[in-house]
Amino acid sequence: MRLHIVLTTKTPIILPWNYPNMLRGVLYSAIKKSNSKLGEFLHNQGFEIQGHRYKLITFSLLFPKSSQKEKTGIKMIPPIHWWISSPLSSPLEASVTTWLCEGKIRLGRIELMIEKIEVEKTPTFKNPCAFKTLSPIVVSSGVYSGKKLEHRFLSPQEDEFWRIVELNLRRKALVLGINVFQEPLRFQSIGEWRSKLLEIQKIKVKAWEGSFSVEGCLELIKLGYEAGFGERNAQGFGMVKIL
């Protein structure tokens, strides 16, 4: 299930570079207001499998009519488009209930009116599928420095990047009880990728924007479309659209 939200305001707005942190707060607050148990579960716990936890929800960056870089952040001209996606309907239904009642969202001191909320039709997936990121993809691996385990952020140019993306999808499928084929997915980058460095909850995260194709089990591919590819999806990473 995927929501498309159109936000508007009378004047341009300036948001800080790390505004996805604010979007995350807006989303969890909306879910919790309509369904407190679900909101607390997703915020504090999530679904655990093989020592990993997944919230099974993701959201895009903001896409305004136009934008420009400022010293303090990004200047955005409305209307502004935002997408939220999940293989679970309950968190999206809870957020919609809140937003339809309130009719607006707040990003810090900035108030945005909700012009429209629509449920997008799930596309038909066929091999191969080509995607473009709506929010950058994060992939990391653990590397020991002495006795300390540190995370190294990977790039799409590394085979390990795509291996971990697939492993991540297979764990999400286990959480949802989805039967998937064991045949490996086949990923291929399309064009150049661009790196982005963002600070999320005081942690610097390196992520990548770009396009790719994937071929294989369509259930896994659909799950990537709905729940996000890669890691930190519930923090606003790994959302894609079909090319």
Side-chain angles (χ1 to χ4, degrees):
M1 184 175 175
R2 177 166 292 203
L3 299 178
H4 173 212
I5 302 165
V6 181
L7 304 166
T8 188
T9 182
K10 292 181 179 179
T11 58
I13 63 171
I14 298 179
L15 292 177
W17 299 110
N18 293 315
Y19 73 80
N21 275 321
M22 303 166 76
L23 293 175
R24 175 177 174 271
V26 166
L27 176 57
Y28 278 105
S29 176
I31 295 171
K32 192 173 182 179
K33 283 179 181 179
S34 293
N35 189 328
S36 60
K37 289 185 178 179
L38 176 61
E40 290 175 4
F41 171 77
L42 291 177
H43 185 271
N44 299 325
Q45 182 176 345
F47 302 90
E48 187 170 354
I49 188 80
Q50 297 177 354
H52 296 263
R53 290 185 178 183
Y54 300 100
K55 307 297 178 69
L56 299 177
I57 192 168
T58 190
F59 57 88
S60 73
L61 299 177
L62 296 178
F63 291 85
K65 181 180 179 181
S66 63
S67 65
Q68 65 184 56
K69 296 179 181 179
E70 302 281 344
K71 287 184 178 181
T72 56
I74 307 172
K75 183 178 182 179
M76 297 186 180
I77 310 297
I80 299 169
H81 300 265
W82 186 32
W83 285 268
I84 305 169
S85 182
S86 175
L88 307 171
S89 61
S90 53
L92 300 188
E93 290 170 353
S95 61
V96 167
T97 299
T98 296
W99 290 328
L100 288 178
C101 290
E102 297 183 350
K104 59 187 177 183
I105 68 170
R106 292 190 65 87
L107 297 175
R109 296 180 180 180
I110 297 171
E111 186 173 274
L112 294 167
M113 303 305 296
I114 298 173
E115 185 176 280
K116 181 172 68 173
I117 302 178
E118 62 181 357
V119 178
E120 290 192 340
K121 183 179 179 181
T122 302
T124 300
F125 298 93
K126 59 182 180 180
N127 281 310
C129 288
F131 296 107
K132 181 177 181 179
T133 56
L134 289 174
S135 57
I137 298 176
V138 175
V139 177
S140 66
S141 65
V143 177
Y144 278 98
S145 177
K147 294 183 178 181
K148 186 178 180 182
L149 181 64
E150 298 178 348
H151 285 280
R152 182 175 77 87
F153 292 104
L154 306 178
S155 79
Q157 285 72 42
E158 300 175 75
D159 291 339
E160 185 74 354
F161 180 96
W162 298 111
R163 187 192 71 81
I164 293 176
V165 166
E166 179 177 349
L167 180 60
N168 176 285
L169 285 175
R170 291 187 180 277
R171 289 197 188 106
K172 291 170 182 170
L174 282 175
V175 166
L176 293 169
I178 299 174
N179 293 320
V180 296
F181 297 124
Q182 293 304 310
E183 180 186 357
L185 296 176
R186 295 173 292 282
F187 291 91
Q188 182 70 46
S189 289
I190 301 173
E192 297 294 323
W193 287 71
R194 183 177 66 173
S195 66
K196 291 190 69 127
L197 188 64
L198 295 168
E199 187 173 306
I200 305 296
Q201 295 179 311
K202 298 183 179 180
I203 298 174
K204 290 185 177 180
V205 175
K206 190 174 185 180
W208 294 85
E209 293 179 326
S211 301
F212 64 96
S213 67
V214 57
E215 187 172 2
C217 176
L218 294 179
E219 287 293 335
L220 276 179
I221 294 171
K222 179 186 178 186
L223 183 55
Y225 175 83
E226 292 181 333
F229 288 91
E231 305 164 12
R232 298 178 177 265
N233 305 128
Q235 294 178 339
F237 292 97
M239 191 176 194
V240 299
K241 69 175 182 179
I242 288 184
L243 279 176

